Amino acid sequence: MDLEDRPTTIHAEDDLAPRGPWSFLMAAAPGGFTRWGWGLMAGWLLVLLGPVLGWAGHLRRAAGWSALPSHWGENITTRDIWELWENGGLQHRLMNSPTVHLFGLGLVIVLWCGWRMQAETAGQKARLSAWLLGALDTVLIGFIPLGLTAWLADMGLAWAGRFGLDSLGWIAFFARPLVWMALVAALNLQWWFCRLGRAAGPARGYRAHLGDCFLQLWSHPIQWGLVSLGGAALRSLLPFLLLLLAWRLGGGSTFRVWLFLLLQLIVTALNGWLMGWLLRTAALFWDHDAAVRDVRAALKEVPCEAPAL
């Protein structure tokens, strides 16, 4: 056979060459500024700030005034919280206040808008059955390997922190919580792949569907690991810096309190945009990976004729 007539593989085609998740980050950058992205950010505002603002307004209406500007940053002991919870009648008021409804409504909006955004990006129909069954698939293939990986990383950091070196101790102090937050992000990634695969329909069988979803995450462990860890760190860093700024400056006036609230709204909306970015990145990666797998499966089914001697 002439070398020039030798067939090429799909790896030589730019459109069908396997690609890692980092190559889709730029294309997914407008994650929050879409139709469903705005709903996702609004849902995050309800989830994170709705209960706080609703409860503060409830206390202000009950007392007729608010001491927040005058006593911003004052400590409250655990015993004080316990006394308020047990003897102040807060249990009944909290469970029947609008805060619980705001949190629930925001959570539903976040989950639904995120699923609609992802399905639309991947060209699939956002069905509730795929959303639920994808969560079941994640339990089957995600909890044990991802949980074991996070546990080993946490044990390694704890072991390094016991050396007595200040640098290792501080690294372990900040990194160990990030490991578990990254675990939640990785479980979300696995769920997203499973539900997109469910939405497309497991054409080659259920076991092949689980295998594809598993490999979509574990074929790029470094890239997905850094995406999960970096996203968790960034979403935690911004609210922490804002809280530190508010704690250092104090309230002092109603203007400062409303300024901090405005900054918190901006940071929360930005975190919602970051979540939309990650949702779109995962959807674009899944769509490309599914196309590559379909072409590979089709090539395997093509009969190969032996060359004439």
Side-chain angles (χ1 to χ4, degrees), residues 116-138:
R116 291 298 300 268
M117 172 195 289
Q118 200 167 49
E120 186 178 89
T121 303
Q124 302 297 327
K125 185 177 180 180
R127 296 192 299 267
L128 181 60
S129 59
W131 188 87
L132 294 174
L133 293 175
L136 177 61
D137 296 340
T138 304

PDB file of all heavy atoms in Angstrom, residues 116-138:
ATOM      1  N   ARG A 116     -30.740  23.805  32.626  1.00  0.00           N
ATOM      2  CA  ARG A 116     -31.190  24.302  31.330  1.00  0.00           C
ATOM      3  C   ARG A 116     -30.026  24.911  30.545  1.00  0.00           C
ATOM      4  O   ARG A 116     -29.922  24.715  29.325  1.00  0.00           O
ATOM      5  CB  ARG A 116     -32.301  25.335  31.525  1.00  0.00           C
ATOM      6  CG  ARG A 116     -33.618  24.769  32.033  1.00  0.00           C
ATOM      7  CD  ARG A 116     -34.206  23.764  31.050  1.00  0.00           C
ATOM      8  NE  ARG A 116     -34.475  24.340  29.744  1.00  0.00           N
ATOM      9  CZ  ARG A 116     -35.625  24.863  29.376  1.00  0.00           C
ATOM     10  NH1 ARG A 116     -36.651  24.872  30.229  1.00  0.00           N
ATOM     11  NH2 ARG A 116     -35.811  25.345  28.167  1.00  0.00           N
ATOM     12  N   MET A 117     -29.159  25.653  31.231  1.00  0.00           N
ATOM     13  CA  MET A 117     -28.005  26.237  30.560  1.00  0.00           C
ATOM     14  C   MET A 117     -27.095  25.159  29.990  1.00  0.00           C
ATOM     15  O   MET A 117     -26.662  25.238  28.830  1.00  0.00           O
ATOM     16  CB  MET A 117     -27.211  27.116  31.535  1.00  0.00           C
ATOM     17  CG  MET A 117     -25.878  27.612  30.978  1.00  0.00           C
ATOM     18  SD  MET A 117     -24.796  28.266  32.251  1.00  0.00           S
ATOM     19  CE  MET A 117     -25.669  29.776  32.631  1.00  0.00           C
ATOM     20  N   GLN A 118     -26.830  24.143  30.784  1.00  0.00           N
ATOM     21  CA  GLN A 118     -25.919  23.090  30.354  1.00  0.00           C
ATOM     22  C   GLN A 118     -26.504  22.269  29.205  1.00  0.00           C
ATOM     23  O   GLN A 118     -25.805  21.958  28.233  1.00  0.00           O
ATOM     24  CB  GLN A 118     -25.581  22.196  31.537  1.00  0.00           C
ATOM     25  CG  GLN A 118     -24.323  21.391  31.351  1.00  0.00           C
ATOM     26  CD  GLN A 118     -23.877  20.775  32.636  1.00  0.00           C
ATOM     27  OE1 GLN A 118     -24.662  20.155  33.336  1.00  0.00           O
ATOM     28  NE2 GLN A 118     -22.603  20.942  32.971  1.00  0.00           N
ATOM     29  N   ALA A 119     -27.770  21.896  29.324  1.00  0.00           N
ATOM     30  CA  ALA A 119     -28.399  21.116  28.262  1.00  0.00           C
ATOM     31  C   ALA A 119     -28.462  21.912  26.963  1.00  0.00           C
ATOM     32  O   ALA A 119     -28.236  21.362  25.873  1.00  0.00           O
ATOM     33  CB  ALA A 119     -29.797  20.690  28.699  1.00  0.00           C
ATOM     34  N   GLU A 120     -28.766  23.192  27.051  1.00  0.00           N
ATOM     35  CA  GLU A 120     -28.831  24.024  25.856  1.00  0.00           C
ATOM     36  C   GLU A 120     -27.463  24.153  25.209  1.00  0.00           C
ATOM     37  O   GLU A 120     -27.339  24.136  23.970  1.00  0.00           O
ATOM     38  CB  GLU A 120     -29.384  25.402  26.229  1.00  0.00           C
ATOM     39  CG  GLU A 120     -29.626  26.318  25.060  1.00  0.00           C
ATOM     40  CD  GLU A 120     -30.219  27.647  25.491  1.00  0.00           C
ATOM     41  OE1 GLU A 120     -29.439  28.572  25.797  1.00  0.00           O
ATOM     42  OE2 GLU A 120     -31.459  27.746  25.540  1.00  0.00           O
ATOM     43  N   THR A 121     -26.414  24.274  26.026  1.00  0.00           N
ATOM     44  CA  THR A 121     -25.059  24.381  25.487  1.00  0.00           C
ATOM     45  C   THR A 121     -24.648  23.112  24.763  1.00  0.00           C
ATOM     46  O   THR A 121     -23.976  23.157  23.727  1.00  0.00           O
ATOM     47  CB  THR A 121     -24.062  24.682  26.624  1.00  0.00           C
ATOM     48  OG1 THR A 121     -24.455  25.884  27.294  1.00  0.00           O
ATOM     49  CG2 THR A 121     -22.657  24.858  26.087  1.00  0.00           C
ATOM     50  N   ALA A 122     -25.040  21.955  25.309  1.00  0.00           N
ATOM     51  CA  ALA A 122     -24.675  20.670  24.713  1.00  0.00           C
ATOM     52  C   ALA A 122     -25.651  20.217  23.629  1.00  0.00           C
ATOM     53  O   ALA A 122     -25.471  19.141  23.059  1.00  0.00           O
ATOM     54  CB  ALA A 122     -24.590  19.601  25.794  1.00  0.00           C
ATOM     55  N   GLY A 123     -26.688  21.005  23.365  1.00  0.00           N
ATOM     56  CA  GLY A 123     -27.652  20.622  22.341  1.00  0.00           C
ATOM     57  C   GLY A 123     -28.570  19.497  22.743  1.00  0.00           C
ATOM     58  O   GLY A 123     -29.023  18.728  21.891  1.00  0.00           O
ATOM     59  N   GLN A 124     -28.877  19.390  24.039  1.00  0.00           N
ATOM     60  CA  GLN A 124     -29.744  18.335  24.547  1.00  0.00           C
ATOM     61  C   GLN A 124     -30.998  18.960  25.161  1.00  0.00           C
ATOM     62  O   GLN A 124     -31.058  20.162  25.398  1.00  0.00           O
ATOM     63  CB  GLN A 124     -29.012  17.486  25.587  1.00  0.00           C
ATOM     64  CG  GLN A 124     -27.747  16.830  25.088  1.00  0.00           C
ATOM     65  CD  GLN A 124     -27.993  15.841  23.982  1.00  0.00           C
ATOM     66  OE1 GLN A 124     -29.028  15.174  23.944  1.00  0.00           O
ATOM     67  NE2 GLN A 124     -27.044  15.738  23.059  1.00  0.00           N
ATOM     68  N   LYS A 125     -31.973  18.105  25.400  1.00  0.00           N
ATOM     69  CA  LYS A 125     -33.213  18.540  26.033  1.00  0.00           C
ATOM     70  C   LYS A 125     -33.117  18.327  27.535  1.00  0.00           C
ATOM     71  O   LYS A 125     -32.754  17.238  27.996  1.00  0.00           O
ATOM     72  CB  LYS A 125     -34.401  17.765  25.471  1.00  0.00           C
ATOM     73  CG  LYS A 125     -35.745  18.255  25.992  1.00  0.00           C
ATOM     74  CD  LYS A 125     -36.885  17.504  25.335  1.00  0.00           C
ATOM     75  CE  LYS A 125     -38.234  18.005  25.852  1.00  0.00           C
ATOM     76  NZ  LYS A 125     -39.363  17.278  25.219  1.00  0.00           N
ATOM     77  N   ALA A 126     -33.429  19.363  28.303  1.00  0.00           N
ATOM     78  CA  ALA A 126     -33.310  19.292  29.765  1.00  0.00           C
ATOM     79  C   ALA A 126     -34.523  18.573  30.343  1.00  0.00           C
ATOM     80  O   ALA A 126     -35.551  19.181  30.634  1.00  0.00           O
ATOM     81  CB  ALA A 126     -33.189  20.701  30.358  1.00  0.00           C
ATOM     82  N   ARG A 127     -34.384  17.261  30.499  1.00  0.00           N
ATOM     83  CA  ARG A 127     -35.461  16.451  31.058  1.00  0.00           C
ATOM     84  C   ARG A 127     -35.207  16.200  32.538  1.00  0.00           C
ATOM     85  O   ARG A 127     -34.065  16.006  32.964  1.00  0.00           O
ATOM     86  CB  ARG A 127     -35.589  15.123  30.311  1.00  0.00           C
ATOM     87  CG  ARG A 127     -35.980  15.262  28.848  1.00  0.00           C
ATOM     88  CD  ARG A 127     -36.377  13.908  28.282  1.00  0.00           C
ATOM     89  NE  ARG A 127     -35.262  12.991  28.351  1.00  0.00           N
ATOM     90  CZ  ARG A 127     -34.390  12.801  27.361  1.00  0.00           C
ATOM     91  NH1 ARG A 127     -34.517  13.488  26.236  1.00  0.00           N
ATOM     92  NH2 ARG A 127     -33.414  11.931  27.492  1.00  0.00           N
ATOM     93  N   LEU A 128     -36.274  16.186  33.301  1.00  0.00           N
ATOM     94  CA  LEU A 128     -36.155  15.936  34.740  1.00  0.00           C
ATOM     95  C   LEU A 128     -35.663  14.518  35.008  1.00  0.00           C
ATOM     96  O   LEU A 128     -34.903  14.285  35.956  1.00  0.00           O
ATOM     97  CB  LEU A 128     -37.494  16.171  35.430  1.00  0.00           C
ATOM     98  CG  LEU A 128     -37.533  15.982  36.957  1.00  0.00           C
ATOM     99  CD1 LEU A 128     -36.573  16.933  37.648  1.00  0.00           C
ATOM    100  CD2 LEU A 128     -38.953  16.158  37.477  1.00  0.00           C
ATOM    101  N   SER A 129     -36.072  13.562  34.181  1.00  0.00           N
ATOM    102  CA  SER A 129     -35.633  12.181  34.381  1.00  0.00           C
ATOM    103  C   SER A 129     -34.123  12.061  34.240  1.00  0.00           C
ATOM    104  O   SER A 129     -33.466  11.347  35.016  1.00  0.00           O
ATOM    105  CB  SER A 129     -36.341  11.270  33.383  1.00  0.00           C
ATOM    106  OG  SER A 129     -36.051  11.667  32.043  1.00  0.00           O
ATOM    107  N   ALA A 130     -33.536  12.742  33.259  1.00  0.00           N
ATOM    108  CA  ALA A 130     -32.082  12.711  33.096  1.00  0.00           C
ATOM    109  C   ALA A 130     -31.385  13.358  34.280  1.00  0.00           C
ATOM    110  O   ALA A 130     -30.328  12.897  34.726  1.00  0.00           O
ATOM    111  CB  ALA A 130     -31.686  13.411  31.800  1.00  0.00           C
ATOM    112  N   TRP A 131     -31.980  14.418  34.792  1.00  0.00           N
ATOM    113  CA  TRP A 131     -31.414  15.119  35.956  1.00  0.00           C
ATOM    114  C   TRP A 131     -31.387  14.202  37.176  1.00  0.00           C
ATOM    115  O   TRP A 131     -30.381  14.131  37.893  1.00  0.00           O
ATOM    116  CB  TRP A 131     -32.270  16.355  36.212  1.00  0.00           C
ATOM    117  CG  TRP A 131     -31.754  17.293  37.245  1.00  0.00           C
ATOM    118  CD1 TRP A 131     -30.874  18.325  37.056  1.00  0.00           C
ATOM    119  CD2 TRP A 131     -32.113  17.327  38.629  1.00  0.00           C
ATOM    120  NE1 TRP A 131     -30.651  18.985  38.234  1.00  0.00           N
ATOM    121  CE2 TRP A 131     -31.410  18.398  39.217  1.00  0.00           C
ATOM    122  CE3 TRP A 131     -32.954  16.563  39.422  1.00  0.00           C
ATOM    123  CZ2 TRP A 131     -31.523  18.711  40.554  1.00  0.00           C
ATOM    124  CZ3 TRP A 131     -33.072  16.868  40.775  1.00  0.00           C
ATOM    125  CH2 TRP A 131     -32.361  17.932  41.323  1.00  0.00           C
ATOM    126  N   LEU A 132     -32.456  13.474  37.423  1.00  0.00           N
ATOM    127  CA  LEU A 132     -32.538  12.602  38.592  1.00  0.00           C
ATOM    128  C   LEU A 132     -31.699  11.337  38.410  1.00  0.00           C
ATOM    129  O   LEU A 132     -30.953  10.939  39.321  1.00  0.00           O
ATOM    130  CB  LEU A 132     -33.997  12.226  38.851  1.00  0.00           C
ATOM    131  CG  LEU A 132     -34.923  13.379  39.266  1.00  0.00           C
ATOM    132  CD1 LEU A 132     -36.363  12.897  39.340  1.00  0.00           C
ATOM    133  CD2 LEU A 132     -34.498  13.968  40.607  1.00  0.00           C
ATOM    134  N   LEU A 133     -31.804  10.683  37.259  1.00  0.00           N
ATOM    135  CA  LEU A 133     -31.054   9.462  37.037  1.00  0.00           C
ATOM    136  C   LEU A 133     -29.557   9.725  36.940  1.00  0.00           C
ATOM    137  O   LEU A 133     -28.743   8.863  37.298  1.00  0.00           O
ATOM    138  CB  LEU A 133     -31.546   8.772  35.770  1.00  0.00           C
ATOM    139  CG  LEU A 133     -32.977   8.230  35.836  1.00  0.00           C
ATOM    140  CD1 LEU A 133     -33.409   7.676  34.491  1.00  0.00           C
ATOM    141  CD2 LEU A 133     -33.107   7.169  36.917  1.00  0.00           C
ATOM    142  N   GLY A 134     -29.185  10.917  36.482  1.00  0.00           N
ATOM    143  CA  GLY A 134     -27.772  11.278  36.485  1.00  0.00           C
ATOM    144  C   GLY A 134     -27.206  11.365  37.892  1.00  0.00           C
ATOM    145  O   GLY A 134     -26.052  10.995  38.133  1.00  0.00           O
ATOM    146  N   ALA A 135     -28.021  11.838  38.839  1.00  0.00           N
ATOM    147  CA  ALA A 135     -27.588  11.856  40.227  1.00  0.00           C
ATOM    148  C   ALA A 135     -27.383  10.442  40.756  1.00  0.00           C
ATOM    149  O   ALA A 135     -26.433  10.173  41.514  1.00  0.00           O
ATOM    150  CB  ALA A 135     -28.617  12.603  41.080  1.00  0.00           C
ATOM    151  N   LEU A 136     -28.255   9.504  40.360  1.00  0.00           N
ATOM    152  CA  LEU A 136     -28.084   8.110  40.762  1.00  0.00           C
ATOM    153  C   LEU A 136     -26.811   7.521  40.176  1.00  0.00           C
ATOM    154  O   LEU A 136     -26.069   6.792  40.862  1.00  0.00           O
ATOM    155  CB  LEU A 136     -29.308   7.299  40.326  1.00  0.00           C
ATOM    156  CG  LEU A 136     -29.261   5.793  40.615  1.00  0.00           C
ATOM    157  CD1 LEU A 136     -29.156   5.532  42.107  1.00  0.00           C
ATOM    158  CD2 LEU A 136     -30.498   5.114  40.042  1.00  0.00           C
ATOM    159  N   ASP A 137     -26.515   7.827  38.926  1.00  0.00           N
ATOM    160  CA  ASP A 137     -25.274   7.352  38.316  1.00  0.00           C
ATOM    161  C   ASP A 137     -24.051   7.901  39.045  1.00  0.00           C
ATOM    162  O   ASP A 137     -23.041   7.199  39.197  1.00  0.00           O
ATOM    163  CB  ASP A 137     -25.226   7.775  36.848  1.00  0.00           C
ATOM    164  CG  ASP A 137     -26.328   7.130  36.026  1.00  0.00           C
ATOM    165  OD1 ASP A 137     -26.867   6.108  36.471  1.00  0.00           O
ATOM    166  OD2 ASP A 137     -26.662   7.682  34.959  1.00  0.00           O
ATOM    167  N   THR A 138     -24.141   9.139  39.497  1.00  0.00           N
ATOM    168  CA  THR A 138     -23.022   9.738  40.226  1.00  0.00           C
ATOM    169  C   THR A 138     -22.757   9.010  41.533  1.00  0.00           C
ATOM    170  O   THR A 138     -21.603   8.834  41.941  1.00  0.00           O
ATOM    171  CB  THR A 138     -23.321  11.224  40.498  1.00  0.00           C
ATOM    172  OG1 THR A 138     -23.589  11.882  39.262  1.00  0.00           O
ATOM    173  CG2 THR A 138     -22.140  11.902  41.178  1.00  0.00           C
TER     174      THR A 138
END
